[in-house]
Amino acid sequence: MSEHEAERGRVSTLELFFDLVFVFTVSQLTTVLVEDPHAGGVVHAALLFGLIWWMFNGYVWLTNELPPTTDRRRVLLFAAMAGFLTMALALPEAFNEGDGAKVFAAGYMLVTVVHAGLFSRTSSAEASRAITRLAPFNLAGAALVMVGAFTHGRTQSALWLGALVIEAAAPRLGGRLAGFTIRPAHFVERHGLIIIIALGESLIAIALGAAGLPIDASLIAVAVVTLGVAACLWWVYFRVDIERAEQALFHECATQRAVVALNAYNYAHIPLLLGVVTFAAGVKKAAAHPLDHATTAGALYVAAGIALYLCGHAVFRRTLHLGGPWLRLATSAAVLATVPIGVYGAALAQLAVVLLLLCLCATLDPRVATRRVRRAEPAGPSRT
């Protein structure tokens, strides 16, 4: 990536490589959800996602401020990728007996230390002071993850939850975002690429769920319908809002832009990505027996995953003043109501109804936006 490309705000191929490793790490959560469909497994998956997501976003802010234009920065990013890959391998066993938690914690510590070290070398004195204010919180969180790795059960969960709370709350504390410079084009494109890669990973869940099964009409139908759902999720996120989001960030004043970016991307994207992961777990279950009754967990994963995605996007749009949330919230409620179709009907039938609801949402969205714009337009001069 050249300095000229960095100034234009383009995402480099190395950053895309980094994002692929991150999404692979997150996709491992589908294994946690499938193998432990009870409340405990869901809580563990959400907690692991929060920890991984928060440090990944730290790297988004890092490369937004400090593009990987030198070999030293590139090598350190590869080291961080090794940390994420280590976490990915250990993630399915992170809450089980054995060394999974310790390996996960070691990878997490590596990612955190590299992040703090890279950011401290930025040429911006303001950014260096900003990371100096935040790094102790990230390192404290990593330390709690390490300590928790040597415990089990509720103690481990409590320590890891404490780590997540410390890291997620730190930017909200008195002016700790002051000094960060947000390049809107890069920031928006980077998160958009993450959504695209995650949607692609949701399709891979079909192959994983269908391993060893005969290729018949029902399996092909699941694949096509799942592709349709993923296409609708792409449509909801990218059709209009991606360009408007960049413009909204661009028009924020410098002091407020970092706060808006934090709310719209660090926080609002949590349900977006967690929704894709949850949906993928449901698809993985559905692919095995698409014409049979879905398990309660499988039906809930499909519906809750889509609902989380839509709710997250509603918050995202609301934060950036891109439009009201009501159509997405109403669609979320309708999608959640499809659970009985899967449980008492068939997994494929539920997926088909979810696809129809998403198509309806995508069709109505531009019409709702047009009416909103017309209402907002000032009336013409009155005739006398």
Side-chain angles (χ1 to χ4, degrees):
M1 182 182 187
S2 67
E3 296 287 351
H4 179 61
E5 288 175 321
E7 290 175 1
R8 292 172 58 191
R10 294 179 58 183
V11 175
S12 68
T13 54
L14 179 55
E15 290 171 280
L16 181 57
F17 192 3
F18 189 97
D19 295 348
L20 286 166
V21 175
F22 161 73
V23 173
F24 169 71
T25 303
V26 170
S27 68
Q28 291 289 83
L29 291 172
T30 59
T31 302
V32 177
L33 290 170
V34 169
E35 292 184 356
D36 187 0
H38 305 95
V42 174
V43 170
H44 289 165
L47 181 53
L48 289 166
F49 174 83
L51 289 168
I52 298 166
W53 170 252
W54 203 259
M55 281 315 303
F56 166 76
N57 248 288
Y59 279 87
V60 175
W61 286 66
L62 167 66
T63 52
N64 188 267
E65 180 76 42
L66 195 69
T69 53
T70 68
D71 287 343
R72 178 185 175 278
R73 296 174 189 173
R74 292 166 183 148
V75 169
L76 287 174
L77 280 181
F78 280 120
M81 289 164 64
F84 275 108
L85 187 59
T86 300
M87 286 190 283
L89 297 175
L91 195 148
E93 302 296 325
F95 282 96
N96 297 335
E97 297 287 341
D99 295 329
K102 299 180 183 67
V103 174
F104 178 88
Y108 197 80
M109 181 63 77
L110 174 61
V111 166
T112 306
V113 170
V114 170
H115 178 264
L118 261 171
F119 232 140
S120 66
R121 297 301 184 93
T122 178
S123 58
S124 168
E126 290 186 354
S128 292
R129 286 194 293 269
I131 193 58
T132 300
R133 293 191 294 266
L134 285 174
F137 292 92
N138 292 340
L139 292 170
L144 283 179
V145 171
M146 183 63 73
V147 173
F150 290 88
T151 64
H152 299 287
R154 293 183 178 179
T155 302
Q156 179 187 357
S157 298
L159 287 170
W160 286 17
L161 177 60
L164 177 58
V165 170
I166 289 172
E167 294 175 0
R172 311 290 302 182
L173 303 177
R176 280 181 165 77
L177 290 180
F180 286 110
T181 301
I182 298 296
R183 294 180 292 144
H186 177 275
F187 206 80
V188 172
E189 182 184 2
R190 185 78 183 274
H191 284 89
L193 289 172
I194 286 297
I195 295 295
I196 290 174
I197 298 170
L199 291 175
E201 287 288 339
S202 70
L203 299 178
I204 294 175
I206 301 171
L208 296 176
L213 297 176
I215 301 176
D216 54 18
S218 62
L219 181 59
I220 294 172
V222 168
V224 172
V225 171
T226 303
L227 176 61
V229 171
C232 286
L233 297 182
W234 175 92
W235 195 279
V236 165
Y237 187 93
F238 289 97
R239 176 64 176 84
V240 176
D241 288 346
I242 194 72
E243 295 179 359
R244 296 173 63 210
E246 182 180 332
Q247 294 170 3
L249 273 184
F250 180 79
H251 288 103
E252 291 286 348
C253 64
T255 55
Q256 185 65 14
R257 187 177 295 162
V259 175
V260 174
L262 177 75
N263 293 333
Y265 289 95
N266 283 48
Y267 294 132
H269 273 59
I270 290 175
L272 275 163
L273 275 170
L274 192 56
V276 174
V277 170
T278 305
F279 171 71
V283 169
K284 191 173 181 180
K285 281 181 166 290
H289 305 286
L291 299 181
D292 294 341
H293 298 316
T295 63
T296 301
L300 282 172
Y301 286 161
V302 167
I306 300 300
L308 274 172
Y309 185 94
L310 293 173
C311 288
H313 195 249
V315 174
F316 168 75
R317 299 180 86 235
R318 191 72 171 178
T319 302
L320 293 175
H321 308 290
L322 302 180
W326 305 115
L327 178 60
R328 282 156 181 75
L329 295 179
T331 306
S332 298
V335 167
L336 287 173
T338 67
V339 171
I341 297 175
V343 173
Y344 298 107
L348 178 57
Q350 182 191 11
L351 283 170
V353 174
V354 168
L355 175 58
L356 289 175
L357 291 171
L358 288 174
C359 288
L360 181 62
C361 177
T363 302
L364 292 176
D365 195 33
R367 299 181 182 182
V368 172
T370 301
R371 287 198 297 268
R372 188 182 301 113
V373 170
R374 288 175 179 172
R375 287 197 300 267
E377 290 177 350
S382 60
R383 297 182 180 180
T384 58

